[in-house]
Amino acid sequence: MNKDSFKAVATAVAAGFGLAAIAIHASQRKAKTGRESWNSKIDSFEYDFVIVGGGTAGCVLAARLTEQDPSVSVLVLEAGEDMDKSWNIKVPLFLAQAYGTKHDWCLKSTPQAHANNRIIKQVRGKILGGSSSINGMMYTRGPNEDYDYWANELGNPGWSYEEVLPYFKKSERFHDPALSADHPLGPRTSRVFRPEYDTFDIEYHGTEGPWQVTFHHLFKSAEGFMRANEAIGVRRNLDPNGESILGVCRVQTTIQADGTRSSSSRAFLGDPKVVPGGGNRGTVRIVTKAHVEKILLEKRNGVQTAVGVVFRDERNVLHKVHAKREVLLCAGVFHTPIILLTSGIGHAIHESIQVVQPLPGVGQNLSDHVGCGIIFQPPPDCHTIRTHLSLKELVKAVYNYAHRGTGPLSSHITETAAGTWQDRASGPNAPHIELMYCPSYFKSSMEGNLPSDTFYTITPVVLNPVSRGSVNATVRQSVKGQDGLWFDPVINPNIYSDPFDMRVMKEAIRFLRKLGKHMETEPDLGGKEWYPTEAVASSDNDEALEAFIREGSASFFHACGTCKMGPITDPMAVVDHRLRVHGVDRLRVVDTSVIPKVIAGHTCAAVVMIAEKAADMIREDNTKASAKEE
């Protein structure tokens, strides 16, 4: 099968599940008022807030800014499509189906000097809901100490863990798996409560928010992975989003109680009361297939001020829309800095664009989590994705998902993980390495063919990378039907440029191989290392191990930091602690690019928290501004 190995698994499963799932679940897709392409005949050219990017953060902002004031109008400009009803997006196991399609920006890095000059894929959602619509649905906030570091060490008051925890809880609708089906927060599937694995600390979770957090499928081999970790002294973590992220744990998921994906768009914008809104709420207009070129700036009282944006609709027609209050830039870690640069904010990128607000940090400080998978071959009866690929099992799995909401279709694949090594972590409860268990063959490089035998993969991921990269802009080669200048991101993650990250990865693989000795004897796991093997990349041979890591490492899609949050005294800061762009009025950045230091966890939960906090700050600042004008 000549496809990326991870996508090939989902493709093979989809071939068996897809038609049956459609036949059982399909409903006529109808246009949702407020979610169409731009229509100059009826659409307004002026709104209170213009949100650039309907991704993870943009959806949260649109919902929150309109929930209290019926006079507020919000325009969301999203480059992708609205796919909230698509089963390829909703079914958890199909998570890789969007990779490399029109719903993925299909970005790639520059050749990586410290990774054998390899070009590394940078998967990002080009779809309503952004990357929350195509990610792995792992709900991990990261260590508490990481947020304290943002506040206390990097000069961002208001961002300590104690201050951001209420915003994590505000967004969350945590479903207690022990509740009965007739409870409002009870299960909507027939899954069986597993008290030994479905553990949590409710003190750290919210139950009134729109974003559903649940437990669902658990492979028997994933249970074996947890037991093997405990056998070598890795403690069981009862809630990785609680007091500490250290230890081996069952992963909490952003899967709805009915067994479907809970993306930012489905969670925050799914209610028709929100889009298009009206009544006791403000109005939300979502324009899909809209590509923003630049921010409109005017100099007012000697200060550059954002007054709107320029965008192209799906017919490639240029439009200008104006923002009466603020422009909110939520285009993501790679496109947000490009839009700033094309607007003259940052540094010079082309002779036709005048720099009106120099900010050297725009596009700098890029960091990401990299991983390097080790593949094991267990006995054929080991419970993995391969177990469900026979015709009999496919039919059974389709039936269970359609009628009970259970089975492998409800799996987000990486169901268990362990946070271990702490050297140069941000605090006593902050690991430096995450071991992600995948019940399938998965090369981190996402290349190669899918073998026919049974495999599972464990991937060490560097959680606190020291290496830093950058994003710059380049003029796109001329494309038929496109006039004017188009700019694309030039992405250089610069992985392993700091030797410390390589040291961490080598130690992680050595630790994993010690764990592997215990996995061999675990009844629900078993198996021996199949790739790369000690013979090829010995733990005792630094040179061979490094060679394997440089060839096998890849991004785990948690890039952040290209519009760093920090005080004006920080020469690389782009926004202040209230996410306002330094030196520009009425312009904020609200997405993963503002994260000043990558968290030792997956970034989706953090981005939703940032957007929740931003919505409150935006309301507060606009209320003060209105009072001052009066």
Side-chain angles (χ1 to χ4, degrees), residues 67-118:
E67 67 181 348
Q68 297 180 6
D69 187 349
S71 69
V72 171
S73 60
V74 170
L75 172 67
V76 180
L77 296 171
E78 166 55 40
E81 299 178 11
D82 173 12
M83 298 297 293
D84 281 355
K85 290 186 177 294
S86 167
W87 286 97
N88 270 349
I89 300 300
K90 290 166 66 175
V91 177
L93 193 66
F94 292 175
L95 65 94
Q97 286 297 289
Y99 296 1
T101 72
K102 65 178 179 179
H103 306 307
D104 172 9
W105 281 98
C106 298
L107 301 171
K108 296 180 180 180
S109 74
T110 58
Q112 293 299 283
H114 305 281
N116 294 348
N117 285 318
R118 292 168 45 238

Side-chain angles (χ1 to χ4, degrees), residues 592-610:
T592 187
S593 66
V594 304
I595 293 176
K597 176 186 176 294
V598 65
I599 58 169
H602 299 226
T603 49
C604 192
V607 172
V608 170
M609 174 275 291
I610 289 168

Side-chain angles (χ1 to χ4, degrees), residues 523-566:
D524 288 324
L525 207 57
K528 295 181 180 294
E529 182 178 332
W530 184 83
Y531 171 83
T533 74
E534 281 276 5
V536 173
S538 171
S539 293
D540 296 325
N541 185 331
D542 259 19
E543 185 177 343
L545 194 56
E546 282 193 22
F548 161 67
I549 292 169
R550 295 189 195 283
E551 188 62 31
S553 293
S555 166
F556 272 70
F557 316 137
H558 300 152
C560 61
T562 53
C563 294
K564 180 184 179 184
M565 173 171 58

Side-chain angles (χ1 to χ4, degrees), residues 113-135:
H114 305 281
N116 294 348
N117 285 318
R118 292 168 45 238
I119 293 173
I120 295 176
K121 294 179 182 179
Q122 305 288 324
V123 174
R124 281 296 178 281
K126 186 182 180 182
I127 185 173
L128 189 64
S131 293
S132 75
S133 290
I134 67 170
N135 68 1

